[in-house]
Amino acid sequence: MSANTSPLLDREASWRVIEEQRLAIADVLAELTPEEWEMPSLCDRWRIRDVAAHVALTPHPPSLGALFVAGLRANGNYNRLIDDLTVRAAERQPAELVALLRTHASSRKLPGPTNYRNILFDTMVHGQDIAIPLGRTIEVPVDAAATGATTAAEIGWPVWQKRRLDGFALRATDIDWSHGAGSEVRGPMAALLLVVTGRPAGLARLTGDGVPALADRLRGAPVAG
């Protein structure tokens, strides 16, 4: 069963949220100590600085030549490619990454074969990847979270396993949104967005008979950047 939701955000509304999220991420990062920049994020193997670099460099996609070289290093593995590019970009100074986020927050430049809907959920979720381990808060608009989860739930290879949400009926409690059929998992839309994108951090805010099984599934899979 595909996702059921209130109307998705249109292009203009999506770009406004992307800009707001980039600025909110920059505000959090600007307050961090050197030690906090090195803390683990919610993404496997990525520090806070790695996630920050990933978001900051989104409006600055690498050249085709750089992508080709990185693709060779990654042996064609998509997630390994993203990991390689991100970790290299994270060598930049924290102040530079914060400045890039703020200066280009309104940029609508898209990297490679993607679209604004993918950038919407990517930016929101990576903001949580940074904020949650730090004990900070970045608010996610509920309609944007629903739009992002609708997009992310349908993405499979090479990012996620397409069947990762099979057997679960996800239901939001703060907006008219649902996805799938099976054991019920319900809770705030922001928490559902996290689990749809493979992050166990969202589980604590969810209830329903499907939560234990979903927790087992999520904890058995890496959280890809």
Side-chain angles (χ1 to χ4, degrees):
M1 183 185 298
S2 60
N4 299 313
T5 183
S6 53
L8 302 180
L9 295 187
D10 62 20
R11 181 184 298 269
E12 288 301 313
S14 295
W15 278 117
R16 285 195 297 272
V17 172
I18 292 167
E19 178 178 0
E20 292 165 358
Q21 290 287 299
R22 286 171 174 168
L23 291 172
I25 292 169
D27 287 345
V28 168
L29 293 172
E31 299 177 350
L32 301 187
T33 65
E35 292 76 18
E36 287 175 318
W37 277 87
E38 303 302 323
M39 285 178 55
S41 74
L42 294 186
C43 293
D44 289 343
R45 300 184 305 278
W46 280 10
R47 302 159 296 174
I48 298 298
R49 69 183 300 123
D50 297 315
V51 181
H54 177 76
V55 179
L57 273 294
T58 295
H60 307 276
S63 66
L64 290 177
L67 278 175
F68 177 75
V69 172
L72 290 177
R73 286 196 300 264
N75 292 320
N77 182 293
Y78 173 81
N79 285 316
R80 196 177 301 159
L81 166 68
I82 297 300
D83 182 76
D84 179 72
L85 292 172
T86 296
V87 172
R88 289 172 184 272
E91 295 175 1
R92 301 180 184 221
Q93 291 299 310
E96 181 182 357
L97 295 174
V98 172
L100 281 170
L101 273 166
R102 286 179 170 158
T103 301
H104 302 283
S106 62
S107 172
R108 299 190 177 189
K109 191 169 185 179
L110 293 167
T114 190
N115 56 62
Y116 72 92
R117 291 205 185 282
N118 292 343
I119 299 302
L120 175 64
F121 82 75
D122 189 75
T123 306
M124 289 188 295
V125 171
H126 283 316
Q128 300 308 302
D129 289 337
I130 290 170
I132 291 173
L134 292 168
R136 293 345 194 246
T137 299
I138 295 177
E139 297 294 338
V140 175
V142 65
D143 53 350
T147 300
T150 298
T151 302
E154 297 303 322
I155 292 179
W157 185 89
V159 183
W160 296 300
Q161 292 183 352
K162 181 71 172 177
R163 299 172 63 85
R164 69 193 184 284
L165 299 174
D166 285 2
F168 299 104
L170 307 182
R171 304 286 183 265
T173 54
D174 50 358
I175 192 173
D176 181 17
W177 186 91
S178 63
H179 176 85
S183 300
E184 188 174 69
V185 176
R186 59 185 179 274
M189 193 66 243
L192 290 172
L193 175 61
L194 288 174
V195 299
V196 166
T197 54
R199 281 134 174 97
L203 291 166
R205 301 174 64 194
L206 302 178
T207 59
D209 59 359
V211 172
L214 180 59
D216 287 343
R217 187 173 299 181
L218 292 182
R219 288 171 181 145
V223 179

